[in-house]
Amino acid sequence: MTPLDMPMKHGDAGDGASIGQRLSRHDGKLKITGSADYALERQFEHAAYAVLVPATIGAGRVVSVDTAAALAAGAILVLTPEDDLGLAQATTFTGQRPEGAFLPLPHEIRFDGQSVALVVAESLEAATEAARRIKVTYEAAPVTASLVQTPEDAGTVGEQFNVAWGDAQAAYADAPVKIEADYHTPREYHAAMEPHGLIAKWDGDRLTVWQPSQWVHAMARNYSDWFGIPMEDVRVVSPYVGGGFGSKGFNYGWEALVPAAARRLGRPVKLALSRPQNFNLYGGRASTRQTLKLGATKDGMLQSILLTGASETSTYGVWPEQVGAATPLMYGTPNYRGQQRIVQVNTVTPGALRGPGKAPSAFGIESAMDELAYAVGVDPLEIRLRNQPDHDRMSNKPWSTRRLREALTEGAAAFGWDKRPMAPRSMRDGHQLIGWGVATGTFPVIRNYGEAEIRVTAEGRVEVVSGATDIGQGTYTVLAQTAADAFGVPVDEVSVRLGDSSLPGSPVAGGSKLAGVMTGAVHKAATAAREELIGLALTHPDSPFHGIEANTLELKGGRLTPPRADAPNVTVAELLRAIGRDGLTVRRDTLPEDMQSPEERKRAWTTMTTAQGPTVGDYSQHSWCAHFAEVRVDEDFGTVRVSRIVSAFDCGLLYNPKLVESQWQGGIIMGIGMALFEEGLVDARNGRVVNNNLGDYLVPTNADVPEIQVISVGIPDTNASLLGGKGVGEVGIVGVAPAIANAVFHATGKRVRDLPITLEKLI
Ligand code: MCN
Ligand code: MOS
């Protein structure tokens, strides 16, 4: 079934109140029943199958690749560093296009697992076997395996995100109470169920790519740049995605090999990464270290925060995992200084993973605040309430909405925080030590532009058409709700088509902004369609409303009615039939007047240069949350179980509370993973990620996840988005790990500053 055939199955009356309803996810049933057509599951006649051959050294050079045995074993094509693929560099998300040729199979090896060849055969099995027979000769070089190995002052590629106000060093020196601690977070991975990969098919000089994607437009531009063909001749299709979590937003270099092979062979080629390759052919969250110094008065009022951080990146790309992303926003300190270095190691370039920067940042500051609470003997909830800032000191702007105080108090009430004894090790149940912890989190509101088309069919149904993607977070569903309200039909009458770069423009489903951006664009297009229809109804000579004395009509529940009761009352379909129209198509975008040129439009839909940060405009805009966690720690074995979580959020207006709760819970579950399980283990000899599979890289399973109660304390914030919603997708993970670490301290008296909290750190 295609998205167009799938109506939303819900019974609101189309009276303008679909937004705010708890509709189930449009793609839910399709995914559960196996009828969602994932990009990588498309079948093509004469398709060939590709496998990537990984480097077995962590740094050095490929001297030669012997392909004879692979070709003898059935490979129909092998691409190696010797092949000139004739590719050009692609525009990056910053809008820059580097000069020169693009080499997806460079001789230089920068990390273990880097692709050294692509092997294509008639089946996946044949390609896998042939790939095994590729013999690569290397010249190995010394490896810098990870941040842990690197001295504090080595390999820095730039100090970034330096933030300062007041005189933090002097204030720290003068502070009566001082806290200083180091925090560390390891490499973490997206671990989406659906692997990365693509199917490429050429029709003459036109390329179609089926690929799981958070951003089809940017990927289409990327292929057009690499292959030197117009963007109109590239189509990227991604109707359903089995999880991305930040990893499917941009192209990776090895992806260029698949269309290149398809062109050489003159047939479709498919590549799906193996699970281990999903750990090293694109980057997860960079490992981070941070030293925090907090200076405070004896009653726990912050005087100074000093942050020095470092995160790892590759030797060929810079990904800054901003350990100071949340730190300056959380508390009202009069003095602040934050600095960060980026250190090069032999890894694939790290990337965005749900809550990038904010998640490790919150682990630092929210653990340190707990340490301060114990140093001054003030309850951890109370010390947070005392230090709430009245405005954003970094930008010197007022908060648009910041209901973190409400999140803290309402979350605490639902959790029963007032019964918490202050002393560690004061609650137990047999052999289990029980602890309660609190921590807060934030995520910026990012704004951008979008485009949408509304098609009204002869039957009076409404189709929403956009190239935006639904990666599981609910785009199909909230856009149907938005169109239903703005146009005036029941949501069952709306269908949504997404995930195709030939459709109207959209920014990335990333940065927790797509819902705010695209509900705005769909609202605009659907409102325009409604006005156009009403205009036709009033002016068309064959309309039943022609000549009535009214300057407008109501469109509600799919029916057009004039203000006067005795006048005609017709359905959208009846009107269209009367005036001899078989439908109506209206396309709108939210780009300003001066950004309407073809170049500006391309820039808007394919780069991040039009995204606006949280302090563009008069306010500082963010989503906020407070997490309360209960843990049970086995006194003998040190095993930690999270037994209860209550979290309260300010994300503004919720377009669909059911989906929002699911987003928050999903983020919280990933936070449990961050706290207790997830850690990419790197072999110090060669930089190899050794637990590169879902058996050894642990993520929370159902048995690890307790009941999670989520509460909304938000109010509509129309500075943040047209309908008043703030970002939802990522804020849930931010602050969960420190809430759990703080609960572990409360249970055991042991402060773990090095994630994940595994049993050997507690015994
Ligand atoms: N929503 C809402 N009301 C709001 C805001 C959002 O009802 N005020 C709901 C909608 O259902 C919307 C969803 O929350 O579809 C997420 O909206 P938003 O916060 O705008 O985030 P995006 O649409 O930009 O989605 C991306 C975001 C990110 S950045 C990551 S990472 C992440 C996340 O979403 N990856 C996910 N959630 C994910 N969920 C799933 N299932 N899979 C992923 O890969
Ligand atoms: Mo989300 S990490 O911004 O895709």
Side-chain angles (χ1 to χ4, degrees):
M1 243 182 260
T2 67
L4 277 180
D5 301 329
M6 279 299 300
M8 304 292 154
K9 274 277 164 276
H10 289 280
D12 85 308
D15 56 2
S18 184
I19 284 289
Q21 298 291 309
R22 303 178 64 86
L23 270 71
S24 292
R25 240 167 68 190
H26 158 69
D27 55 328
K29 198 171 168 190
L30 295 177
K31 284 181 167 175
I32 296 299
T33 57
S35 45
D37 54 344
Y38 290 97
L40 282 183
E41 290 177 349
R42 295 276 166 111
Q43 300 291 322
F44 294 91
E45 278 189 29
H46 310 303
Y49 296 83
V51 166
L52 286 164
V53 179
T56 54
I57 58 167
R61 274 187 75 75
V62 174
V63 176
S64 65
V65 181
D66 181 351
T67 61
L71 290 164
I76 54 176
L77 176 71
V78 181
L79 299 177
T80 75
E82 300 308 321
D83 286 278
D84 178 5
L85 300 173
L87 305 179
Q89 293 280 349
T91 314
T92 68
F93 67 83
T94 59
Q96 309 293 320
R97 186 160 182 199
E99 300 269 310
F102 171 59
L103 306 172
L105 293 173
H107 283 92
E108 193 187 347
I109 299 299
R110 288 99 160 213
F111 59 93
D112 181 89
Q114 182 184 322
S115 302
V116 292
L118 181 86
V119 177
V120 188
E122 295 295 340
S123 67
L124 172 63
E125 293 73 14
T128 306
E129 179 55 25
R132 236 173 38 82
R133 296 177 188 227
I134 296 280
K135 288 192 185 55
V136 186
T137 312
Y138 301 100
E139 212 173 80
V143 170
T144 307
S146 65
L147 189 55
V148 185
Q149 251 193 345
T150 308
E152 283 296 294
D153 54 356
T156 294
V157 291
E159 298 220 4
Q160 303 204 16
F161 310 108
N162 294 346
V163 172
W165 64 83
D167 185 344
Q169 262 156 329
Y172 180 74
D174 291 348
V177 182
K178 295 183 177 65
I179 293 293
E180 176 177 351
D182 294 318
Y183 303 94
H184 171 231
T185 66
R187 275 189 211 169
E188 293 154 6
Y189 293 91
H190 304 88
M193 292 285 282
E194 180 194 35
H196 280 241
L198 63 152
I199 303 170
K201 181 172 178 287
W202 291 87
D203 297 287
D205 286 336
R206 300 173 70 91
L207 171 65
T208 307
V209 176
W210 288 265
Q211 171 169 9
S213 175
Q214 294 179 229
W215 197 4
V216 289
H217 299 288
M219 289 189 172
R221 184 219 61 218
N222 207 311
Y223 289 111
S224 94
D225 285 351
W226 276 342
F227 290 90
I229 52 177
M231 191 172 150
E232 302 74 62
D233 291 345
V234 182
R235 190 173 155 216
V236 175
V237 186
S238 180
Y240 296 100
V241 179
F245 307 109
S247 68
K248 289 172 178 164
F250 312 110
N251 286 105
Y252 302 106
W254 47 266
E255 290 168 354
L257 297 166
V258 182
R263 191 162 60 177
R264 288 219 179 164
L265 291 168
R267 54 196 282 198
V269 174
K270 169 173 172 169
L271 168 72
L273 296 191
S274 67
R275 185 51 70 179
Q277 289 173 332
N278 277 279
F279 284 81
N280 59 16
L281 282 181
Y282 56 92
R285 197 192 303 287
S287 147
T288 73
R289 302 192 152 267
Q290 53 181 309
T291 301
L292 269 167
K293 295 180 186 175
L294 306 187
T297 63
K298 289 206 172 78
D299 53 1
M301 296 303 293
L302 278 171
Q303 300 304 303
S304 178
I305 300 178
L306 281 158
L307 165 71
T308 0
S311 64
E312 63 182 6
T313 191
S314 70
T315 60
Y316 62 97
V318 178
W319 173 265
E321 184 71 20
Q322 303 175 42
V323 290
T327 325
L329 294 168
M330 305 315 293
Y331 299 106
T333 175
N335 302 285
Y336 184 93
R337 201 192 73 187
Q339 289 170 301
Q340 171 161 6
R341 296 177 305 107
I342 321 270
V343 178
Q344 291 186 323
V345 304
N346 288 108
T347 173
V348 66
T349 308
L353 201 169
R354 207 173 196 171
K358 276 64 73 182
S361 178
F363 176 61
I365 183 65
E366 289 297 286
S367 296
M369 280 305 277
D370 207 67
E371 304 206 30
L372 179 63
Y374 277 90
V376 293
V378 174
D379 176 88
L381 170 66
E382 173 58 25
I383 200 166
R384 286 177 168 78
L385 289 169
R386 278 186 201 172
N387 282 288
Q388 286 301 302
D390 59 358
H391 71 285
D392 175 6
R393 295 223 188 203
M394 195 166 35
S395 65
N396 256 321
K397 290 183 181 177
W399 308 110
S400 56
T401 47
R402 176 179 169 127
R403 292 176 59 81
L404 184 51
R405 195 175 277 283
E406 289 79 357
L408 281 164
T409 49
E410 290 184 34
F415 187 82
W417 187 264
D418 59 347
K419 293 177 207 71
R420 179 184 184 274
M422 179 77 179
R425 297 183 78 91
S426 52
M427 298 195 294
R428 66 161 64 230
D429 176 6
H431 272 282
Q432 292 184 326
L433 301 170
I434 297 174
W436 290 357
V438 62
T440 59
T442 186
F443 197 88
V445 171
I446 302 170
R447 281 168 301 174
N448 211 326
Y449 307 107
E451 184 181 35
E453 192 166 283
I454 295 292
R455 299 178 186 164
V456 183
T457 68
E459 297 75 41
R461 294 183 48 78
V462 171
E463 294 170 0
V464 179
V465 183
S466 159
T469 55
D470 190 327
I471 57 175
Q473 84 281 43
T475 317
Y476 281 113
T477 315
V478 292
L479 295 190
Q481 291 173 268
T482 306
D485 286 2
F487 188 75
V489 289
V491 74
D492 311 37
E493 297 293 323
V494 183
S495 47
V496 182
R497 177 177 211 148
L498 301 174
D500 183 332
S501 64
S502 65
L503 303 180
S506 161
V508 62
S512 301
K513 67 172 174 311
L514 192 71
V517 172
M518 292 312 300
T519 51
V522 168
H523 186 273
K524 187 170 176 182
T527 304
R530 169 202 182 96
E531 279 164 10
E532 191 172 322
L533 192 76
I534 290 172
L536 283 170
L538 291 171
T539 55
H540 196 285
D542 299 333
S543 162
F545 300 104
H546 184 64
I548 70 158
E549 278 172 30
N551 43 26
T552 192
L553 299 172
E554 261 200 348
L555 175 45
K556 243 190 192 175
R559 302 188 80 86
L560 289 136
T561 54
R564 274 193 3 255
D566 57 336
N569 170 327
V570 302
T571 65
V572 172
E574 286 162 354
L575 172 71
L576 289 171
R577 208 173 311 130
I579 65 173
R581 293 275 300 246
D582 59 3
L584 195 77
T585 298
V586 172
R587 190 186 273 223
R588 287 289 184 278
D589 63 59
T590 55
L591 288 166
E593 292 276 308
D594 61 354
M595 286 178 62
Q596 292 288 349
S597 71
E599 301 73 48
E600 287 291 313
R601 297 173 66 81
K602 184 167 175 179
R603 185 167 75 88
W605 311 143
T606 65
T607 74
M608 287 200 172
T609 55
T610 58
Q612 293 157 36
T615 55
V616 166
D618 297 337
Y619 298 96
S620 179
Q621 306 175 310
H622 309 262
S623 289
W624 306 99
C625 62
H627 302 287
F628 297 82
E630 176 183 278
V631 298
R632 289 168 170 258
V633 183
D634 186 289
E635 200 175 4
D636 301 322
F637 298 115
T639 43
V640 181
R641 289 199 149 276
V642 179
S643 46
R644 203 154 62 89
I645 289 194
V646 176
S647 303
F649 291 85
D650 168 12
C651 293
L653 176 95
L654 310 183
Y655 310 133
N656 181 324
K658 182 175 188 172
L659 302 196
V660 169
E661 287 166 16
S662 157
Q663 283 293 302
W664 288 340
Q665 286 167 338
I668 291 165
I669 291 166
M670 286 175 82
I672 295 174
M674 184 177 171
L676 301 182
F677 305 111
E678 297 189 45
E679 174 173 28
L681 296 165
V682 182
D683 187 326
R685 295 167 303 175
N686 49 24
R688 184 168 302 165
V689 182
V690 290
N691 55 345
N692 58 2
N693 59 77
L694 294 179
D696 296 318
Y697 181 82
L698 303 182
V699 294
T701 64
N702 282 343
D704 301 308
V705 178
E707 194 191 322
I708 299 172
Q709 186 187 347
V710 289
I711 299 164
S712 173
V713 299
I715 51 171
D717 183 340
T718 48
N719 296 311
S721 64
L722 183 77
L723 301 184
K726 300 196 277 189
V728 154
E730 293 168 279
V731 67
I733 189 176
V734 183
V736 174
I740 292 171
N742 295 342
V744 167
F745 172 77
H746 187 229
T748 64
K750 283 198 180 144
R751 182 69 66 184
V752 181
R753 303 185 182 90
D754 177 24
L755 293 180
I757 306 167
T758 44
L759 51 85
E760 74 277 9
K761 295 175 189 170
L762 290 174
I763 50 179

